[in-house]
Amino acid sequence: PPGCAKTTLARAAATASGATVITLSAADVFSKYLGEGEKILRSTFTKARKSAPAVLLLDEIDGMCGSRGEGATDGAHDVATRLLSVFLTEMDGLENVPSSGGGVLVVATTNRPQSLDPALTRPGRLDLVLEIPPLNLQGRAEALRVHTKDVSLADDVDIQALAAACDGFSGAELRHVVKEAALRALREDMNAHQVKQQHFMDAIKPKST
């Protein structure tokens, strides 16, 4: 789902591999000039092959490559369909990269897997699918600890209780809760040096209700 840190996790995994990391997003390949997006996509794959071992990270691939089964053949969809054709060709071309050089690993993120063309997820292409589920209680607690590491917390702050109160919150929403709690502390007292439990609870209420 949106806000579950798919891109962050993909970037962390790619960086931890020690390989060259090359990133490309849907916004990077769309251009008003005919053929420009395809050129950018081809050059990115070429760069990845020359930099092997490399990890090619494609963010929001659903917005980058359209599905050929949607029927429309004009406008933005036509561009996405052409990009899909180039992408499939380039993916098949990765098989020719010498394995001795480490090869190229392609990692893509999406929150709309159902919109991907079946040709993208067939064996030999994007064939390993990892679902990033919503955070559980322990995950929310860990996320809150990360987001509050630079925040001065009052002694009454109970991270575990806050995590329980944030049931259903995404990582992005938890980050917003911490930011909003800090702002509430300052609105209450411009000289405040700590954020209290009540500030967090007040920040949670608008979302939970």
Side-chain angles (χ1 to χ4, degrees):
C4 287
K6 295 180 296 297
T7 301
T8 301
L9 287 171
R11 286 180 181 273
T15 303
S17 71
T20 302
V21 180
I22 301 171
T23 62
L24 189 70
S25 69
D28 295 329
V29 298
F30 278 92
S31 170
K32 63 181 179 180
Y33 300 109
L34 184 65
E36 186 67 20
E38 295 94 309
K39 181 180 178 181
I40 293 172
L41 191 56
R42 288 193 190 96
S43 65
T44 301
F45 271 88
T46 299
K47 181 180 179 181
R49 285 192 289 268
K50 290 181 178 179
S51 304
V55 177
L56 178 54
L57 177 57
L58 305 174
D59 194 20
E60 298 179 347
I61 193 173
D62 56 285
M64 187 182 304
C65 302
S67 173
R68 292 171 294 188
E70 293 175 2
T73 57
D74 60 342
H77 175 78
D78 188 36
V79 174
T81 302
R82 294 200 307 270
L83 286 170
L84 173 62
S85 297
V86 172
F87 180 80
L88 296 177
T89 301
E90 293 294 334
M91 282 289 290
D92 292 340
L94 291 180
E95 296 177 357
N96 299 322
V97 179
S99 58
S100 59
V104 177
L105 176 66
V106 179
V107 180
T109 66
T110 179
N111 54 28
R112 297 193 304 159
Q114 71 281 358
S115 68
L116 298 181
D117 192 281
L120 280 172
T121 54
R122 75 153 176 79
R125 290 174 180 161
L126 301 177
D127 49 8
L128 175 61
V129 180
L130 301 176
E131 181 182 359
I132 309 300
L135 294 171
N136 58 19
L137 177 61
Q138 189 58 34
R140 295 194 299 274
E142 292 298 329
L144 284 170
R145 290 189 181 95
V146 169
H147 293 313
T148 58
K149 65 180 181 180
D150 295 323
V151 178
S152 180
L153 303 177
D155 293 337
D156 68 338
V157 174
D158 185 340
I159 294 294
Q160 205 66 26
L162 292 176
C166 292
D167 185 30
F169 281 44
S170 68
E173 289 169 334
L174 292 173
R175 181 178 183 179
H176 176 73
V177 165
V178 174
K179 181 179 179 180
E180 180 61 25
L183 289 174
R184 287 175 181 270
L186 289 175
R187 292 191 195 106
E188 184 179 282
D189 181 4
M190 284 300 295
N191 297 316
H193 296 292
Q194 292 183 323
V195 182
K196 301 177 181 179
Q197 180 83 355
Q198 189 57 48
H199 296 140
F200 283 101
M201 297 307 295
D202 290 342
I204 292 170
K205 284 178 183 178
K207 171 65 171 65
S208 59
T209 56

